Amino acid sequence: MTSAAIRTNTHSKFDKFTIYLPNGKTLTGISHIPAPDPTSRSRPLLIGVHGGTCTSQYYDVSPEYTASAFSSSYSVPFVAIDRPGYEGSTPPSLDPSTTFWQATGKLLHESIFPLLWNNFGVSNGCTHLVTTSHSMGVAPTVVAAALYADYAKNGAKHTYPFAGCIFSGFGISRNIPRDWSKVEVGDVVSYPAELRAPMGLSEPELNLGDPAVGELYGKQAAGMPLDEFKELHTWSGYAEKYMERVEIPVLIAFGEHDWLWEASEEHLNELKGLFRRSKGAETVLIRGAPHGMVLSYKSGEWYRMCFEWAKKLEKPEG
């Protein structure tokens, strides 16, 4: 597990949690459960899946930049996990035939999402489960969504109602070349401030976010598991075989000034085409936004889009 990240929102409305999985592994994260809206028939459980070198705190940077504000306004429970291998969450078990993201996706589908549904969804009157995954959190969520579709084909009854996935800031092979020579590689991988800062908010001259928020994002830095870092060179080789199996609706997004990926309609359409079995694949390019959209001046626009998209979905059959 990586070192503990700093909690930058000193007025956080989130509660920390620790859940013990059936296989003896541990899952940590944060949750915000607002009062229900008696006039609404839709109440999704929205789960945040962070990217590399981040933790669940990515969704709770400061009082002004937090998912909890939108969780309250939409009366939608929001749970952000520390992905396996980060913070207090046990790393996934690997064998020679399984990659880090494949193992994490399997863990999400078989253990984590069912437990989150039972612990936070059922007891709070939720109607369905939706994920919003950022950057490196996208890949294992794609794997989980594919396994969810496979599970139904085998005649088994689902233990959680996976209704849709939101993916932001992650593609396959159309990434922008960068100089990664300053990345510190050991048992965990660390990104120096001069790389981490533009990854979140792009170049300062673009003025896409408050520099103070960028500083808080820097304080949240967590080491990346080495096995995840290696996935940057392998994901493109097996991504499509999982993407083409996903059947639930997906929303794919990039910020216009994404520092890591080519943020274009062409790239979005390319990704959309790979989700060929999805019951509804949508794309959006957020103008004036960086890679870390929740850190930027477009944070509110992006959060509203996520919560509204999640609410419009319906409980899947089976």
Side-chain angles (χ1 to χ4, degrees), residues 66-90:
T66 176
S68 65
F70 300 89
S71 171
S72 292
S73 61
Y74 286 98
S75 296
V76 169
F78 187 92
V79 173
I81 64 169
D82 297 311
R83 283 195 291 116
Y86 284 88
E87 196 74 354
S89 297
T90 311

Side-chain angles (χ1 to χ4, degrees), residues 175-181 195 198 202-203 257-261:
N175 53 318
I176 299 172
R178 300 291 183 187
D179 180 8
W180 301 110
S181 60
L195 285 178
S202 294
E203 290 78 5
H257 300 286
D258 194 296
W259 200 75
L260 298 173
W261 298 94

Side-chain angles (χ1 to χ4, degrees), residues 18 142 145 162 172 182 186 210 233 310:
T18 299
V142 168
F162 203 173
I172 294 183
K182 295 182 180 180
D210 185 341
H233 307 290

